[in-house]
Amino acid sequence: MTVELCRDDGCYVANQSLEATWRVGRTVATELESIEASVLWFTEGKGDEDLHVHHFQRWHDGHLAELDLGASHRIQCLLPASPLSYAGTLIRIGWCVRVRMFRKGNRECVAQQPFFMVTHPVR
């Protein structure tokens, strides 16, 4: 399973669109319970660690049978104004696109691609 950003530099501007693609590969839809694709931000560091989902899509049951799991699928959303990516000494705020595949028998596979959310385009 792979997740690829549509920008080579991995930098996306707040209040603008994020696009990424994901692909499962060699899995048969009948082996799966569901697939989830999300855009989320998280904090790491001193104190409590948080995780907030900004955008979420889920496929299950009949929708899985309609997906071509070997093909690339697109995830797109408008990013919020904040929080921006931040790497301080006490706290870090990170963003990522995450795809989770739930197989029958309570097995889970996760692929994620981090990105930076910034205020201005990086030149």
Side-chain angles (χ1 to χ4, degrees):
M1 185 166 48
T2 61
V3 177
E4 293 183 16
L5 300 173
C6 293
R7 290 187 51 96
D8 290 336
D9 63 3
C11 291
Y12 291 85
V13 178
N15 290 319
Q16 292 190 9
S17 181
L18 171 135
E19 292 184 30
T21 59
W22 60 271
R23 184 175 163 281
V24 171
R26 298 180 185 199
T27 299
V28 180
T30 57
E31 298 174 4
L32 301 177
E33 291 182 358
S34 64
I35 296 174
E36 297 175 350
S38 56
V39 176
L40 56 95
W41 63 270
F42 56 91
T43 63
E44 296 176 329
K46 295 221 175 201
D48 293 337
E49 295 185 357
D50 293 318
L51 182 137
H52 296 274
V53 176
H54 170 69
H55 178 80
F56 181 81
Q57 292 176 263
R58 182 173 191 194
W59 297 266
H60 56 88
D61 300 329
H63 298 286
L64 282 173
E66 296 171 8
L67 283 179
D68 178 358
L69 297 176
S72 288
H73 299 275
R74 186 176 180 192
I75 183 169
Q76 180 179 9
C77 70
L78 183 65
L79 292 171
S82 66
L84 300 174
S85 297
Y86 177 76
T89 55
L90 297 179
I91 191 169
R92 175 177 176 262
I93 300 172
W95 282 84
C96 72
V97 176
R98 177 182 291 172
V99 176
R100 296 192 319 168
M101 178 174 62
F102 297 92
R103 293 174 172 256
K104 293 181 178 170
N106 291 330
R107 296 185 335 212
E108 178 182 333
C109 182
V110 177
Q112 63 184 34
Q113 182 63 51
F115 66 91
F116 297 98
M117 189 165 84
V118 297
T119 57
H120 303 289
V122 177
R123 295 176 189 196

